[in-house]
Structures are given as C-alpha cells and as structure tokens.
C-alpha cells in the first residue's frame, strides 16, 4: 500500500503527459503506431475518432481539427492542437526532455 501511495503522490506532483488524438479513422492508426514506437511510461494516449460525441471535461475542449490533430496535456492544461505527426513527435521529445513545447 505504501508503493501505491508513493505512485499517487508522484502523479499529483508531476502528472503524466496525456496525449489526446482526435483523428479520422484513416489517420488514427498511423498516429497511434508512431506513438507506440516512441514509448514513454509517463505518457497516456487517448485516441478519439473525430465523430465521437458526448465527451465531457477536458476531452470536450480537445476539438478535432482537419484530418488529424493532437493535444498534449499536463495536468488540466493542454497545448494548442498539433496538426502534423512530425510536429507531435518533436513536441513530445521536447516534453520528455523536461521542457514544455512552445
């Protein structure tokens, strides 16, 4: 139980990176595959098709843009939409290096 409490404290002090993908079905698999190839244990990826409805909270603010986009979230704060896969990979590399993307 102590280990669980320490993990909860770590998540509270340094929340994991949440990547919200909003893509059409045709692009979703490509974006998921690219992120799976760049594994980071402190990153959660939510893949949500553009036609998904009824999203609440933080996810309701992550609106689809074009064919595909992603939002990089730290805690309750999310980036502007990232609309290219190459830009997303660069932003995540910058984020995992300890600096936030611009």
């Amino acid at each position: 139980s102590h280990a669980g409490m320490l993990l909860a404290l770590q998540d509270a002090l340094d929340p994991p990176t949440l990547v919200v993908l909003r893509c059409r079905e045709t692009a979703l698999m490509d974006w998921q595959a690219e992120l799976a190839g760049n594994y980071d244990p402190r990153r959660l990826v939510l893949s949500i098709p553009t036609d998904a409805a009824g999203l609440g909270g933080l996810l309701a603010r992550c609106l689809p843009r074009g064919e595909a986009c992603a939002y990089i979230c730290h805690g309750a704060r999310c980036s502007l939409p990232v609309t290219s896969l190459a830009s997303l990979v660069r932003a995540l590399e910058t984020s995992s290096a300890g600096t936030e993307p611009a």
Side-chain angles (χ1 to χ4, degrees), residues 45-81:
V45 178
L46 299 178
S47 303
I48 304 171
T50 55
D51 59 354
L55 300 174
L58 179 72
L59 297 178
R61 297 187 308 217
C62 297
L63 300 173
R65 304 269 195 265
E67 180 72 21
C69 74
Y71 295 85
I72 303 169
C73 305
H74 300 279
R77 195 181 68 218
C78 294
S79 70
L80 294 172

Side-chain angles (χ1 to χ4, degrees), residues 1-9:
S1 70
H2 288 92
M5 290 174 59
L6 289 174
L7 288 172
L9 177 62

Side-chain angles (χ1 to χ4, degrees), residues 74-100:
H74 300 279
R77 195 181 68 218
C78 294
S79 70
L80 294 172
V82 179
T83 56
S84 85
L85 189 50
S87 295
L88 175 60
V89 170
R90 277 193 306 276
L92 290 172
E93 287 171 353
T94 301
S95 177
S96 66
T99 58
E100 297 215 9

